[in-house]
């Protein structure tokens, strides 16, 4: 299954190196690091986080139109391990 890993670049609770390990170990994973964000992305950037989650889910699942925000259509810039 595709796995999305979203991480704060300034996370002092769980460092970026942990995200990189997860990305290496989980096949078909996509890692995006938000460079200036701490641990709690759902609190600091909830709308941006939701857009990335929708962008990830949209090609694989049907999402009601009312949930879709202005999202990029490609996954460029994501680190991929397949």
């Amino acid at each position: 299954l595709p796995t999305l890993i979203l991480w704060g670049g300034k996370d002092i609770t769980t460092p970026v190196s942990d995200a990189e390990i997860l990305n290496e170990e989980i096949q078909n994973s996509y890692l995006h690091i938000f460079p200036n964000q701490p641990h709690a992305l759902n609190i600091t950037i909830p709308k941006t986080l939701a857009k990335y989650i929708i962008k990830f889910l949209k090609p694989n699942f049907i999402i009601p139109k009312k949930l879709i925000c202005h999202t990029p259509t490609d996954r460029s810039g994501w680190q991929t391990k397949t």
Side-chain angles (χ1 to χ4, degrees):
L1 290 175
T3 302
L4 177 61
I5 304 167
L6 301 173
W7 217 270
K10 291 188 176 179
D11 188 337
I12 59 172
T13 306
T14 46
V16 171
S17 59
D18 287 359
E20 293 166 344
I21 291 169
L22 286 173
N23 193 44
E24 285 294 319
E25 296 296 324
I26 300 172
Q27 289 185 355
N28 203 19
S29 63
Y30 300 89
L31 171 61
H32 182 80
I33 298 170
F34 295 92
N36 298 314
Q37 295 301 318
H39 180 75
L41 298 173
N42 60 317
I43 295 171
T44 59
I45 53 167
K47 289 181 181 180
T48 301
L49 190 65
K51 287 179 183 180
Y52 274 82
I53 293 169
I54 290 169
K55 178 173 111 174
F56 179 76
L57 292 175
K58 191 175 177 183
N60 302 308
F61 301 100
I62 297 172
I63 301 172
K65 286 186 179 181
K66 67 181 180 180
L67 292 180
I68 297 175
C69 303
H70 295 81
T71 59
T73 56
D74 68 286
R75 293 181 178 157
S76 62
W78 290 13
Q79 298 175 21
T80 309
K81 171 97 169 86
T82 56

